[in-house]
Amino acid sequence: MIQRIQTVYLALAFVITGVLPFVFKLWTLSDGKAEMFMSSQCYSAIFGLSTSLSLLSILFYKKRQHQFVIGRLNIILNLILLGLFVYRSLNLSGEAVAVSEKGIGMFLPIIAIVFLVLANKAIQKDEDLVKSVDRLR
């Protein structure tokens, strides 16, 4: 059933990791150069993998357990991405001389994690409902 609430949450996570990184910059360096996620292959690969996992989770709407596991993997992947962003922002060159400006793109994994957690809660709620109905039979 593709009209469930977790599909909406997963679609929002898909948009956050697949579309919004093209719009928002990660940070602006001290020399005024804006850095997008495409400047590093690592960031591009992790954003692409997170987007793919969100889409795969949407397509596994009949297999709730697979959806739940893929959602957890996606949460872990976004936590790794967030850790890389924090590490990179704390180690930007030239921080002692001039302060760089952090962009909204750095916080996209946090928003994606929130929607993935909400989706996993909804998936677990559906799974509990199906188990309770099976007990009645």
Side-chain angles (χ1 to χ4, degrees):
M1 304 215 306
I2 206 151
Q3 70 270 14
R4 297 182 301 191
I5 189 69
Q6 61 261 31
T7 306
V8 174
Y9 292 143
L10 290 169
L12 287 171
F14 174 79
V15 169
I16 288 169
T17 58
V19 176
L20 293 182
F22 288 102
V23 178
F24 297 115
K25 62 184 179 203
L26 295 176
W27 46 74
T28 305
L29 299 176
S30 58
D31 61 356
K33 180 184 169 193
E35 188 166 329
M36 300 295 278
F37 83 101
M38 295 170 289
S39 63
S40 172
Q41 289 180 349
C42 180
Y43 300 152
S44 299
I46 294 176
F47 266 122
L49 190 58
S50 179
T51 304
S52 300
L53 285 176
S54 295
L55 184 62
L56 188 66
S57 185
I58 290 171
L59 295 176
F60 278 172
Y61 63 92
K62 288 185 180 179
K63 301 175 182 175
R64 287 176 301 278
Q65 284 297 72
H66 287 116
Q67 239 184 352
F68 189 76
V69 170
I70 291 171
R72 285 221 172 151
L73 289 174
N74 205 351
I75 289 170
I76 292 170
L77 191 65
N78 278 301
L79 284 172
I80 291 170
L81 184 62
L82 182 63
L84 287 173
F85 285 165
V86 169
Y87 176 77
R88 174 74 171 122
S89 70
L90 292 176
N91 291 325
L92 284 175
S93 61
E95 282 296 309
V97 178
V99 178
S100 66
E101 182 180 325
K102 310 312 184 255
I104 295 174
M106 252 183 80
F107 302 106
L108 290 178
I110 296 173
I111 301 168
I113 288 170
V114 168
F115 283 119
L116 290 168
V117 166
L118 289 172
N120 272 358
K121 283 187 178 185
I123 292 167
Q124 191 63 40
K125 187 177 175 183
D126 278 359
E127 188 66 28
D128 292 343
L129 180 67
V130 168
K131 285 181 182 178
S132 70
V133 169
D134 284 343
R135 277 191 295 239
L136 294 175
R137 285 190 220 178

